[in-house]
Amino acid sequence: DAGVTQSPTHLIKTRGQQVTLRCSPKSGHDTVSWYQQALGQGPQFIFQYYEEEERQRGNFPDRFSGHQFPNYSSELNVNALLLGDSALYLCASSRDRDVSYTFGSGTRLTVV
Amino acid sequence: AQSVTQLDSQVPVFEEAPVELRCNYSSSVSVYLFWYVQYPNQGLQLLLKYLSGSTLVKGINGFEAEFNKSQTSFHLRKPSVHISDTAEYFCAVSDPAGNQFYFGTGTSLTVIP
């Protein structure tokens, strides 16, 4: 049974560009959350998607947006990239209202 | 809002020795508590969680944690560590809705042969 799959695993972008990260949740999961983990820090909550809508959002600017598709997969979009957006982006999935999340291995984004 | 403080950023310990990783939390509402482990270049793996009931929680790989409501703590313990336990450990809290986790800054556990 595949867990949470994220793509790509690594990417390098230039400041000011836009990026899209993708996440396929674990089979049977319908809720997807995104976290940003800066180097040497704990993950920080970006937002959560359920039933194709953003259910809750953390303290991140509007440059961060997302989408959930009918098959429960999700995308994270970041516009106007800043150097400070360099981080590991983690996707986590669960069943609705179940606090047992499964995390993916993440996408390492480097902004130069 | 909730917050988590992990009191030790780095913990070196000799192989087969016991270890305790400390975690304190702050919250105005009841919370769920978690410990996750992160190996290099990997995502987070759940070690254990406290939702309700017995305050002593047992997890995977021989780890356990004790919820202390009066001290707002959730310390992680293992009686005998192995080299393979070398990793980053994160304490986290969520409200009962479970929509958002608040993580500490992590504790780097290094097991010395």
Side-chain angles (χ1 to χ4, degrees), chain B residues 53-69:
Chain B
S54 173
T55 57
L56 183 62
V57 180
K58 293 189 182 297
I60 62 172
N61 300 341
F63 285 94
E64 63 180 32
E66 186 158 17
F67 170 57
N68 188 319
K69 187 174 182 179

Side-chain angles (χ1 to χ4, degrees), chain A residues 12-19 63 77-86 109-112:
Chain A
I12 300 173
K13 289 287 189 177
T14 302
R15 189 173 47 183
Q17 286 188 316
Q18 178 265 344
V19 68
R63 298 188 297 108
N77 301 293
V78 187
N79 294 322
L81 284 167
L82 304 174
L83 298 179
D85 295 330
S86 295
L109 171 64
T110 302
V111 182
V112 297

Side-chain angles (χ1 to χ4, degrees), chain A residues 5 16 25 30 37 39 55 58 60 63 80 84 91 95 107 110:
Chain A
T5 304
D30 56 8
Q37 186 178 16
L39 197 62
R55 178 157 66 182
F60 278 80
R63 298 188 297 108
C91 173
R95 292 188 176 91
T107 294
T110 302

